[in-house]
Amino acid sequence: GAVVSQHPSWVICKSGTSVKIECRSLDFQATTMFWYRQFPKQSLMLMATSNEGSKATYEQGVEKDKFLINHASLTLSTLTVTSAHPEDSSFYICSARESTSGDPMKQYFGPGTRLTVT
Amino acid sequence: GQQLNQSPQSMFIQEGEDVSMNCTSSSIFNTWLWYKQDPGEGPVLLIALYKAGELTSNGRLTAQFGITRKDSFLNISASIPSDVGIYFCAGRTGANNLFFGTGTRLTVIP
C-alpha cells in the first residue's frame, strides 16, 4: 500500500524554539495533506488541511501563526511549531490523500512525530 | 467539532474470544471508518462504510453502518494477540471533514 513518512519520528526541544516536522508521500502524489494532533490516551484532532500550492485551512482554535504549514509540492508538507511551549508536547500525525480522490481508502496516515518541549 | 463516543473505552479479553465495540454520534455522517492504531504509530484503515445499513467484512473484522447514520459497530472474531491496539471509529461529512472517536483500547490475553 501507499506509504507516508514523517521526519523526525521524535524530537525534544527547549521552550521558545521552533521545530519543523516533515510529511512525505513516498509513492503517490498527495493533493491534500492533513495534520492531526493526539494527546496521550486521547483521540486524533484535526489541526489543519493543506492543498498543494495553497494556504492551509485551520480548524477552529488552532493558531495559524503558531503552527505554520507549507505544502510546497505534491509529495511534501511541513508543519513548523513556532516558539514551542511544554503544552505543545504531543504526537503529531500527518495524513496524505492520493491525488484528487475523496475516497477514504486513498487517505494514508504517517507514523507520527512525538514532540516533547522541555 | 463533532463528538463521537466509543464504548467500551477499554477491553481485556482472552485470546479466541469475539470482540464487539461501537461508536455513536449526535450527528449524521456520510461515511464511517474504522482504524487501528498501534503504540507510537499512525492509524491504519481497517474498514470503510459508505451507505446506511451497509455490513462489510475484512477477514475476521465485520463492521456495520447504522441505519440512522449516527452509529457504527465493529466486531472482531476469534481474537489473536496481534489484535492488541486502540481502535478508532471516524465519521466523515464532506471530502475533508474526518472526525475521530474517543477510541477503544483492546488487550488480548494469550
Side-chain angles (χ1 to χ4, degrees):
Chain A
V3 178
V4 175
S5 72
Q6 285 185 236
H7 178 80
S9 56
W10 60 270
V11 57
I12 302 173
C13 72
K14 292 193 174 184
S15 186
T17 61
S18 295
V19 174
K20 180 185 285 189
I21 302 170
E22 292 185 348
C23 176
R24 294 181 185 272
S25 57
L26 297 185
D27 52 1
F28 66 97
Q29 293 186 329
T31 307
T32 306
M33 286 188 172
F34 308 86
W35 287 95
Y36 292 82
R37 180 167 52 184
Q38 185 179 30
F39 291 108
K41 297 188 177 181
Q42 294 191 24
S43 187
L44 285 77
M45 298 298 294
L46 180 65
M47 299 174 66
T49 301
S50 73
N51 290 298
E52 184 261 339
S54 302
K55 287 185 178 180
T57 301
Y58 290 80
E59 293 299 304
Q60 191 173 9
V62 178
E63 300 175 60
K64 63 179 181 181
D65 294 330
K66 180 170 182 63
F67 298 99
L68 302 179
I69 292 172
N70 187 320
H71 191 166
S73 78
L74 286 173
T75 59
L76 174 64
S77 176
T78 60
L79 168 68
T80 301
V81 183
T82 62
S83 187
H85 290 289
E87 56 264 30
D88 297 324
S89 298
S90 187
F91 195 49
Y92 291 87
I93 304 172
C94 76
S95 177
R97 190 166 67 204
E98 190 168 3
S99 188
T100 57
S101 172
D103 185 350
M105 298 295 284
K106 301 291 187 184
Q107 182 173 340
Y108 310 99
F109 285 81
T113 296
R114 183 162 303 284
L115 170 63
T116 301
V117 184
T118 61
Chain B
Q2 308 281 3
Q3 182 76 19
L4 279 72
N5 296 308
Q6 284 184 243
S7 65
Q9 286 187 338
S10 61
M11 304 179 73
F12 291 80
I13 62 168
Q14 289 288 139
E15 181 178 358
E17 288 184 352
D18 296 344
V19 174
S20 183
M21 60 188 79
N22 64 53
C23 185
T24 59
S25 171
S26 57
S27 302
I28 290 174
F29 290 103
N30 297 328
T31 305
W32 279 94
L33 308 163
W34 284 93
Y35 290 86
K36 179 174 183 276
Q37 185 180 29
D38 292 326
E41 299 287 335
V44 174
L45 181 63
L46 300 173
I47 290 180
L49 302 158
Y50 301 96
K51 293 189 302 186
E54 179 182 352
L55 183 71
T56 296
S57 293
N58 178 8
R60 294 179 296 107
L61 279 61
T62 302
Q64 184 159 31
F65 191 145
I67 56 173
T68 65
R69 295 166 61 192
K70 294 182 178 182
D71 63 321
S72 177
F73 73 74
L74 174 71
N75 287 342
I76 305 173
S77 62
S79 59
I80 59 178
S82 61
D83 290 335
V84 164
I86 304 175
Y87 291 80
F88 288 101
C89 64
R92 204 173 73 156
T93 55
N96 290 340
N97 300 337
L98 188 64
F99 301 96
F100 282 83
T102 48
T104 293
R105 186 179 297 270
L106 177 64
T107 301
V108 179
I109 303 168

